[in-house]
Amino acid sequence: MSYLVLARKYRPRNFAEMVGQEHVVLALSNALATQRLHHAYLFTGTRGVGKTTVSRILAKSLNCQGPDGQGGITATPCGVCQACQDIDAGRFIDYTELDAASNRGVDEVQALLEQAVYKPVQGRFKVFMIDEVHMLTNHAFNSMLKTLEEPPEYLKFVLATTDPQKVPVTVLSRCLQFNLRPMAPETVLEHLQTVLLNEQVPADVQALRLIARAARGSMRDALSLTDQAIAFGSGQLQEATVRQMLGSVDRTYVFQLIDALARADGRTVVDVSETLRINGLNAASTLEEMSTVLQRMAVLQAVPGLVADDAADPDAAETARLAALMPPDETQLLYSLCLHGRGELGLGPDEYAALTMVLLRLLAFKPDAQRAPAEKKTLNPASRPAERPARAAHSVAPQVAAAAAPVAPQQSPQAGQPVPVTPLPPGQVLPVIDSAPVSAVFEVNSQKPSVERSKSATDIVAVPVRVQAEPEPEPALSTGAADGADLAAVPADIRADNDGDFWYALVRQLISAEAVAALTRELALQSQLVARDGEDWLLRIERESLNQPAARDRLQQALKAAGHPARLAIEVGRVTDSPGRRNAQAVAEKMREAEAVIHADPFVQAMMRDFGAKIVPGSIKPV
C-alpha cells in the first residue's frame, strides 16, 4: 500500500475540520443554512491556505444526499453518501475542476461552458471549479462573462486564484469574493501537534515551532515540511535535526549578535559572523531570526510586560533582557537594517561578508548622546598668522556679544585692562548686535606665573573682529531681479557697514557679470558671510555638499577679479541670511503683490460675485 502524504491525508473533509479560516467558514455555513446561495464564488489567498479544499467542501454541501439518501443542502455534509465520497475521490461527474494554468485558452473555456447547457446527472448542482483563474487569457475571460453573470439555476462557479489583481474587474464584479488569510504560526503549531499525535510521532515543541515559522502561513507547506522532518529524523522530530534540515540559525547566535551590538562590541560581532561562516549557517536566516527577535523587543519596549509573560517561549526571558539593554531607537534602526540587508546579501563578495557589513553598519551609525562632537575645522589648516583673527571671530562670537552690552559708567574698564566677560544666565538668548567693528580682548598665557601676568602689554592681545548680525526676515536690496542680472557694482555706502547687505550685493554683481556658475554660483547664493578681518572671510553654509575645495577656489578667484582678494574659510552651520534666501523672499513678495492686485481688480471681483468664479491656486504669476 502506497504512503499518503500528510497534506493529502489530513485535508479537511468538512467545514468543522477547516483551520485558520473561520471568517470564510462562518459566511459559507450561514449561507448554506439559509440557502442564500450565490451563483459564483471567488476564493483568493496564498498557496496552501485551503482554496481548493473549500471548493470541494462547498460542492459536497450543495450535493450531499445524507446517509439515508433524503438529505438536502447542508453546511455539514455527511461524508458517507455517494456524492460526498465521489467528490473526495475526484470522480463526481457533476463536479469539474479546470486547471487554468495549463488550460488558459478560449477553446478550453468554451469546451467547459458547453457542458453548462446540460442538467446535473447525479447531483443537485453542477459545480465548475477553475483553479488559478488569473492565468486565463483576456479572450477566455470575455468568453465566460455572459454565462458567469446569468448561469442556469443548477450551475455554480467556484474560482480560485493566488493573484486577484490579475483578474479583470468584469469577473470580480460577478463573483462573491472571499480572501483566505495566511495562518498564524501558533495556529499551524497547534494543528501539527494534533496531526503528529494521531500519527504517534514524538515531536519536540521547539521543532514544531521552527516548522510553523518556516511554513509562512501555508498549512500545506507545514505538513510537507513535517513529512520531510520525520524522514530526516528517523521517525521523530527534534529541534537540532529540524534546525539542521531547515538551515535555521540557533537563537543563541542571534542573541549574541544583538547583545554585542547593544554594547558596541565590534570584535564579538565579527567573531560570531565568522562562526556562522564556519558552521555553514544561512546568512539570510540569521537576519530573519534577528528581525523576529527585534520585533518582539520593540513590542516589549513599547508595551512592557506584554510578551515577557509568555512562558511557552523559552526565549522570552532573554528577549526581555535585550529589550532593557538596547535603547528603542537602536532597536528600530537595527530592525530596519536587517530588513534591508536581506536584499544586499546577493550583492556582496559572499553572503557572510555582506552579513558582517550589515551588522557593522549599526555600529557606524550608532546613536550616542555621550559622543563628543567632532571639532569643526572652519579655516584652512595651513598655519598663516593672518587667518588666526578670523578663527577667533567665529569661536568667540558669544563673548563679543556679551562684551558689547551696555556697561554702567562707574564700571567702565580702564585703558589697558581686560574687558570682563559676564556669562549669560541659563536660558537667556544673546541679543542681535550690529555688525560695527568690535574689539574683543583676551587674556593669554593664563598658566604663567603671576609676576608675568602684571605685564599687560605682553599678556593682552586686542583682536578686531567683524561679526555678522542675525538679520530680521525682511530682505534688503530685494527689489531687483531674483538672479541679480540688473545689478551694477557694489554701492560704496554698504561696503563696510553691513556684512549681509555687502555679501548680497557682491554676489549679485558676480552673477550679473557671469563670473560664477554651476556649483560655485550655488555656493555663493547659499552662503552667509559670518565674519571679515582684512582678507580673511568666513562663510557659513548649511549643506556639506557645497563645501568643495574646487568651488571655494573658483569663488576666491571671482572675488579677486571683482576687487576683493579674500581668503575664504567655510564652515557648516545654521544660515539665517544668504543671497538665496533674500532672492526667495523677493520672489515671494512679488507673488503676494501680484495676488493682491488680482484680488482687488474690480472685474475679477464682479466675476466672482456674479458668476461664482474662482481663482485657481498657483495660476497667478508675477510679471
Side-chain angles (χ1 to χ4, degrees):
M1 182 178 179
S2 61
Y3 173 71
L4 190 63
V5 298
L6 297 179
R8 295 181 58 189
K9 182 177 181 181
Y10 289 93
R11 181 191 292 269
R13 308 290 180 178
N14 50 60
F15 288 126
E17 297 178 3
M18 287 288 298
V19 177
Q21 307 298 343
E22 290 77 8
H23 62 293
V24 177
V25 170
L26 180 62
L28 293 178
S29 299
N30 292 338
L32 291 167
T34 58
Q35 296 194 10
R36 299 179 63 88
L37 303 175
H38 203 274
H39 60 269
Y41 297 88
L42 175 63
F43 299 117
T44 64
T46 59
R47 75 277 182 271
V49 294
K51 299 184 295 297
T52 304
T53 299
V54 172
S55 172
R56 294 180 180 179
I57 296 175
L58 180 60
K60 290 193 294 183
S61 299
L62 293 174
N63 292 288
C64 180
Q65 300 172 357
D68 55 357
Q70 303 297 323
I73 299 175
T74 177
T76 56
C78 65
V80 297
C81 66
Q82 190 66 34
C84 292
Q85 293 182 0
D86 289 347
I87 291 175
D88 287 335
R91 57 174 181 266
F92 191 62
I93 192 172
D94 293 323
Y95 176 72
T96 305
E97 288 189 3
L98 177 68
D99 179 18
S102 56
N103 300 276
R104 57 193 306 265
V106 63
D107 295 334
E108 289 83 353
V109 174
Q110 285 289 356
L112 177 66
L113 296 179
E114 287 177 358
Q115 304 177 22
V117 298
Y118 303 107
K119 289 188 175 182
V121 177
Q122 291 180 323
R124 194 176 294 110
F125 291 93
K126 271 183 175 292
V127 180
F128 289 166
M129 194 276 178
I130 304 178
D131 198 8
E132 299 298 339
V133 68
H134 67 275
M135 300 292 289
L136 292 178
T137 63
N138 289 332
H139 294 295
F141 276 121
N142 293 333
S143 66
M144 63 183 296
L145 287 180
K146 187 60 179 177
T147 308
L148 185 63
E149 182 178 8
E150 297 179 355
E153 59 180 7
Y154 51 80
L155 179 61
K156 302 293 181 184
F157 281 95
V158 178
L159 312 180
T161 178
T162 56
D163 195 355
Q165 288 78 15
K166 294 183 179 180
V167 179
V169 179
T170 52
V171 174
L172 294 177
S173 65
R174 289 165 166 81
C175 299
L176 195 63
Q177 184 173 346
F178 294 93
N179 182 29
L180 280 73
R181 305 164 185 164
M183 302 179 196
E186 294 76 11
T187 303
V188 177
L189 175 62
E190 293 176 1
H191 187 65
L192 291 181
Q193 288 176 330
T194 303
V195 169
L196 294 178
L197 183 62
N198 295 335
E199 292 290 316
Q200 297 182 355
V201 175
D204 188 0
V205 176
Q206 291 303 316
L208 296 182
R209 195 185 301 274
L210 291 173
I211 294 176
R213 284 203 300 261
R216 299 185 181 278
S218 172
M219 187 63 73
R220 182 175 60 217
D221 288 2
L223 292 172
S224 299
L225 289 173
T226 304
D227 260 327
Q228 182 181 355
I230 292 174
F232 191 83
S234 300
Q236 58 182 356
L237 275 69
Q238 300 295 331
E239 180 182 4
T241 57
V242 172
R243 191 180 296 278
Q244 182 181 0
M245 181 193 76
L246 297 176
S248 302
V249 177
D250 192 348
R251 283 283 178 90
T252 304
Y253 296 116
V254 174
F255 291 142
Q256 290 178 4
L257 287 173
I258 297 178
D259 182 76
L261 291 172
R263 294 182 289 102
D265 186 359
R267 174 173 292 276
T268 302
V269 172
V270 175
D271 291 343
V272 174
S273 179
E274 186 64 22
T275 303
L276 295 176
R277 180 202 299 270
I278 295 174
N279 294 334
L281 298 176
N282 189 274
S285 177
T286 303
L287 294 179
E288 182 179 355
E289 289 291 334
M290 288 185 65
S291 301
T292 303
V293 175
L294 289 167
Q295 183 268 335
R296 300 188 64 187
M297 289 171 54
V299 173
L300 266 180
Q301 292 168 349
V303 188
L306 183 62
V307 187
D309 297 334
D310 186 5
D313 188 1
D315 301 329
E318 184 67 12
T319 303
R321 185 187 70 83
L322 293 175
L325 180 63
M326 179 173 287
D329 56 344
E330 292 186 21
T331 302
Q332 296 291 339
L333 176 60
L334 183 55
Y335 179 78
S336 179
L337 291 177
C338 291
L339 290 183
H340 293 284
R342 293 179 63 185
E344 301 176 7
L345 294 180
L347 303 178
D350 60 82
E351 65 175 8
Y352 297 101
L355 173 64
T356 304
M357 289 300 298
V358 170
L359 297 176
L360 294 180
R361 193 171 301 160
L362 177 67
L363 301 182
F365 297 98
K366 185 180 181 65
D368 189 356
Q370 299 178 353
R371 182 182 301 167
E375 179 183 357
K376 291 184 178 178
K377 297 183 179 180
T378 59
L379 295 180
N380 194 323
S383 58
R384 295 197 297 266
E387 290 181 349
R388 293 175 184 173
R391 181 181 295 109
H394 170 61
S395 61
V396 299
Q399 290 88 340
V400 173
V407 182
Q410 63 273 17
Q411 297 178 357
S412 301
Q414 300 296 327
Q417 292 184 1
V419 177
V421 179
T422 304
L424 293 175
Q428 180 174 345
V429 181
L430 286 173
V432 177
I433 63 174
D434 296 332
S435 59
V438 180
S439 295
V441 185
F442 299 88
E443 183 176 355
V444 297
N445 300 328
S446 59
Q447 301 300 328
K448 292 185 177 181
S450 59
V451 177
E452 296 185 1
R453 293 183 187 176
S454 62
K455 302 178 181 180
S456 60
T458 59
D459 292 345
I460 305 302
V461 179
V463 184
V465 176
R466 183 183 303 279
V467 180
Q468 165 68 10
E470 303 288 343
E472 296 296 326
E474 308 159 351
L477 300 180
S478 60
T479 57
D483 57 355
D486 301 331
L487 187 70
V490 180
D493 57 342
I494 65 171
R495 291 189 178 185
D497 293 339
N498 188 296
D499 284 345
D501 295 343
F502 168 78
W503 181 244
Y504 177 63
L506 181 56
V507 170
R508 295 182 66 181
Q509 176 187 349
L510 296 177
I511 295 175
S512 176
E514 298 183 355
V516 291
L519 185 61
T520 308
R521 178 179 184 272
E522 193 67 19
L523 173 61
L525 284 173
Q526 303 300 329
S527 60
Q528 176 181 355
L529 181 58
V530 178
R532 284 186 293 160
D533 182 60
E535 295 182 355
D536 296 300
W537 293 12
L538 179 62
L539 300 180
R540 181 183 298 164
I541 57 176
E542 288 187 342
R543 291 184 294 171
E544 181 67 33
S545 59
L546 295 175
N547 189 10
Q548 302 295 333
R552 182 189 60 194
D553 295 341
R554 286 193 291 268
L555 183 57
Q556 286 185 163
Q557 296 173 3
L559 292 173
K560 183 177 180 181
H564 300 278
R567 288 188 295 269
L568 297 180
I570 301 177
E571 69 170 2
V572 179
R574 179 173 174 267
V575 174
T576 59
D577 182 20
S578 66
R581 287 175 178 265
R582 295 196 180 195
N583 290 340
Q585 292 171 356
V587 172
E589 181 63 27
K590 288 185 177 181
M591 176 61 71
R592 287 193 293 268
E593 294 175 357
E595 291 178 349
V597 170
I598 294 297
H599 284 282
D601 186 87
F603 177 74
V604 174
Q605 293 180 353
M607 294 292 291
M608 297 175 64
R609 180 182 63 254
D610 299 337
F611 300 101
K614 295 182 179 179
I615 299 177
V616 179
S619 61
I620 300 176
K621 302 295 180 183
V623 178

